[in-house]
Amino acid sequence: SQTIHQWPATLVQPVGSPLSLECTVEGTSNPNLYWYRQAAGRGLQLLFYSVGIGQISSEVPQNLSASRPQDRQFILSSKKLLLSDSGFYLCAWSVSSGLNEQFFGPGTRLTVL
Amino acid sequence: AQSVSQHNHHVILSEAASLELGCNYSYGGTVNLFWYVQYPGQHLQLLLKYFSGDPLVKGIKGFEAEFIKSKFSFNLRKPSVQWSDTAEYFCAVNEGGNDMRFGAGTRLTVKP
């Protein structure tokens, strides 16, 4: 069966520090991968998605970037965190676009101080 | 760009009450529709989905949703809620591409 992992589970970082959140998927090949940010009362905002290694699409211009160095690995990064980057970050995967549901990881709670 | 509206931010019900959570979307073409649920401390998981066919969709745990194309709606229903249904519920819409749009979520609290 397929599983999705995210780490760390929680992270507290100072403003201006770098960020690296990792997401890995097991039990499937060539998944579509997604990064979302969940803010209270605002639902899930799609940040990035990837349909293959090295292919990243950005939905929202911001202080963050994403990379997919391996088929089942998706990384969310920042060179310098802002206070506004605080939030709950969710990684998700799907077998293919559109007609299939997305499966979500446990999320990372990021607090920028 | 399409948008998804969930009208209720927080719903409080007693056990055995009936539930209906509203979801409306703005896109006028063919859409795929989803309801996700996030129980306290757990992953976001799929409740039910609609792609085509019967507009009344049955999901897990006694939930159902009805797609009404003319109203651009996909409301979630359950005839009798339980305390264990306390969670946050998200409606999502997809046009068939990679872009899944989520509503802001509705927090449901069921009092025992």
Side-chain angles (χ1 to χ4, degrees):
Chain A
S1 64
Q2 301 88 359
T3 55
I4 178 169
H5 304 280
Q6 284 186 246
W7 64 89
T10 60
L11 188 61
V12 180
Q13 291 284 94
V15 169
S17 64
L19 173 74
S20 181
L21 303 182
E22 191 161 341
C23 171
T24 57
V25 181
E26 295 176 358
T28 187
S29 297
N30 196 33
N32 286 357
L33 296 170
Y34 309 83
W35 276 112
Y36 289 89
R37 178 165 52 207
Q38 184 178 7
R42 295 180 61 187
L44 277 70
Q45 180 186 33
L46 180 64
L47 302 176
F48 302 94
Y49 68 87
S50 171
V51 298
I53 296 174
Q55 300 178 61
I56 308 295
S57 296
S58 174
E59 289 295 303
V60 181
Q62 57 207 323
N63 186 42
L64 302 169
S65 62
S67 61
R68 185 170 177 174
Q70 300 180 42
D71 181 45
R72 289 169 287 178
Q73 184 184 30
F74 205 24
I75 297 172
L76 184 69
S77 304
S78 174
K79 292 182 179 177
K80 287 186 178 181
L81 283 168
L82 306 172
L83 286 174
S84 57
D85 292 323
S86 293
F88 191 56
Y89 290 85
L90 287 167
C91 181
W93 72 273
S94 68
V95 174
S96 62
S97 62
L99 294 182
N100 288 284
E101 66 181 279
Q102 294 181 12
F103 298 89
F104 287 83
T108 295
R109 173 74 60 191
L110 172 66
T111 303
V112 182
L113 301 174
Chain B
Q2 57 179 282
S3 64
V4 182
S5 299
Q6 290 184 243
H7 318 296
N8 312 101
H9 295 294
H10 190 192
V11 173
I12 302 173
L13 295 173
S14 298
E15 276 194 315
S18 64
L19 171 72
E20 180 159 3
L21 301 182
C23 174
N24 286 90
Y25 60 93
S26 63
Y27 185 66
T30 302
V31 292
N32 303 314
L33 300 158
F34 306 81
W35 273 98
Y36 282 85
V37 61
Q38 189 171 32
Y39 297 104
Q42 295 189 26
H43 298 200
L44 206 65
Q45 59 185 282
L46 185 73
L47 260 185
L48 46 78
K49 59 187 175 184
Y50 171 81
F51 296 149
S52 63
D54 188 345
L56 185 62
V57 180
K58 304 282 186 184
I60 60 172
K61 304 186 180 185
F63 285 90
E64 66 178 30
E66 185 175 12
F67 170 50
I68 303 179
K69 189 174 182 179
S70 61
K71 294 185 177 180
F72 300 94
S73 70
F74 190 54
N75 292 355
L76 181 71
R77 301 194 292 248
K78 186 170 182 177
S80 176
V81 294
Q82 301 171 314
W83 176 78
S84 57
D85 293 324
T86 294
E88 190 152 16
Y89 294 81
F90 295 91
C91 180
V93 177
N94 178 285
E95 302 172 50
N98 292 304
D99 191 3
M100 182 89 84
R101 298 287 177 180
F102 284 81
T106 297
R107 187 156 60 99
L108 172 66
T109 301
V110 180
K111 295 183 175 179

